[in-house]
Amino acid sequence: AAPADALDRDPIAAAALAEVSRRGEVRPGERVTLMRFVVDREQHQESSPTWNAAPIVAIQHYLTTPGLAANVICMMDTGRWDEYFAFFEIPRAEGPPIQVGDQRHALFVRDFRRIPLDDWLTLMLERDLSGPPMALLPAADEPVALARPEFANAVHDALRALGRSAALAGNPLTRSRLIPRETADPSAELGEVVRAGIDALASDPRDEHLARVLEATFGPAAPTREGAARRLGLPMTTYKRHLRRGIGRVTEMLWEREISGT
């Protein structure tokens, strides 16, 4: 949301946004934040009570910022911070240091699209208790960050595959933030997530009719769409309109969960 002239005036902010965008598309509803200054009045960036409080402030920020895709931390480029932040899975940005006046700065990026917040907090607890850094999951097991159109297509595919785990297995949503990393059966979990979306519609009097259309279309005994419309007693045009709206409402609910990571 930063205006272009603000980014032009601050090379740190411009570099932070460019680095996050390089790592992956920032999707609608996601936020990128920058911790621009971490400074103690007397010790600057040396050990101090201020510096001890900084990680607490950062974690509070992570926990209370909806849709946080990434947070960037700006530090003086002294070389001492690389190992510190690497331990907390906040790697240094690629490229040379950024010169501002007579000071050189480095950026460190906590990308929640790569490791969701809950997984990251669990990893940090394990590292704090075990000492040596715990290994991350291989890249193939990292969450995928689908753009909005691809996400909508995947939700539609999941609706059509409800009740068939084998058909759900190849759906990219099984590797999205909708599915907890520790889930033993991502396909079954995805089916439950989609089913919960339909159930949420059914529990709202304003959307109950949309849930009935989804059940008739994608349920275990679903006939053709023409047959579903006849069973519901709806004209085909009305049936199609309700079906589009129902799919859209489930997609919206799942998208909000995907972006928020909850």
Side-chain angles (χ1 to χ4, degrees):
D5 60 337
L7 293 174
D8 291 341
R9 290 195 302 270
D10 185 3
I12 298 292
L17 185 58
E19 175 64 19
V20 172
S21 299
R22 182 190 67 77
R23 293 164 176 253
E25 178 186 3
V26 180
R27 300 174 295 176
E30 290 184 324
R31 298 184 183 184
V32 176
T33 55
L34 170 63
M35 293 183 173
R36 179 66 175 81
F37 301 101
V38 185
V39 180
D40 179 79
R41 180 174 59 187
E42 296 177 356
Q43 300 298 324
H44 198 243
Q45 290 185 344
E46 299 299 321
S47 297
S48 67
T50 298
W51 179 249
N52 291 341
I56 300 171
V57 173
I59 292 175
Q60 288 176 331
H61 172 67
Y62 300 158
L63 290 170
T64 58
T65 304
L68 186 60
N71 180 65
V72 184
I73 302 171
C74 175
M75 301 295 292
M76 294 289 293
D77 183 34
T78 61
R80 63 174 294 189
W81 300 112
D82 295 36
E83 184 176 355
Y84 173 88
F85 282 114
F87 180 87
F88 295 106
E89 201 57 36
I90 307 176
R92 180 176 176 137
E94 294 185 1
I98 305 164
Q99 194 78 27
V100 180
D102 60 353
Q103 296 179 339
R104 299 197 318 168
H105 301 266
L107 300 180
F108 299 87
V109 184
R110 170 81 289 280
D111 192 336
F112 291 106
R113 299 166 300 180
R114 179 169 177 253
I115 307 177
L117 177 58
D118 287 349
D119 291 337
W120 181 77
L121 290 172
T122 299
L123 183 66
M124 293 307 100
L125 178 61
E126 291 174 348
R127 287 186 175 181
D128 280 340
L129 294 176
S130 64
M134 301 283 290
L136 293 174
L137 291 178
D141 292 330
E142 292 175 3
V144 297
L146 298 175
R148 186 65 168 76
E150 287 77 16
F151 186 91
N153 290 337
V155 172
H156 195 183
D157 289 343
L159 283 165
R160 289 187 293 191
L162 267 182
R164 295 181 288 124
S165 292
L168 287 169
N171 193 299
L173 294 179
T174 58
R175 290 180 51 214
S176 71
R177 296 173 73 182
L178 295 174
I179 309 302
R181 178 175 289 183
E182 67 276 8
T183 299
D185 189 345
S187 301
E189 181 70 17
L190 176 59
E192 292 181 9
V193 167
V194 175
R195 168 60 59 187
I198 298 175
D199 291 345
L201 290 181
S203 66
D204 187 336
R206 296 168 299 179
D207 292 330
E208 185 180 3
H209 63 294
L210 303 181
R212 287 199 300 270
V213 170
L214 294 178
E215 288 284 4
T217 305
F218 302 118
T224 63
R225 296 195 173 186
E226 289 78 7
R230 284 196 300 272
R231 194 167 74 182
L232 291 166
L234 295 174
M236 198 62 190
T237 53
T238 303
Y239 164 81
K240 288 182 177 179
R241 184 172 69 252
H242 289 349
L243 180 61
R244 284 195 301 270
R245 286 191 59 205
I247 294 171
R249 290 284 290 115
V250 171
T251 301
E252 289 170 10
M253 284 189 283
L254 298 187
W255 179 255
E256 290 176 6
R257 284 187 57 178
E258 166 76 2
I259 294 300
S260 66
T262 60

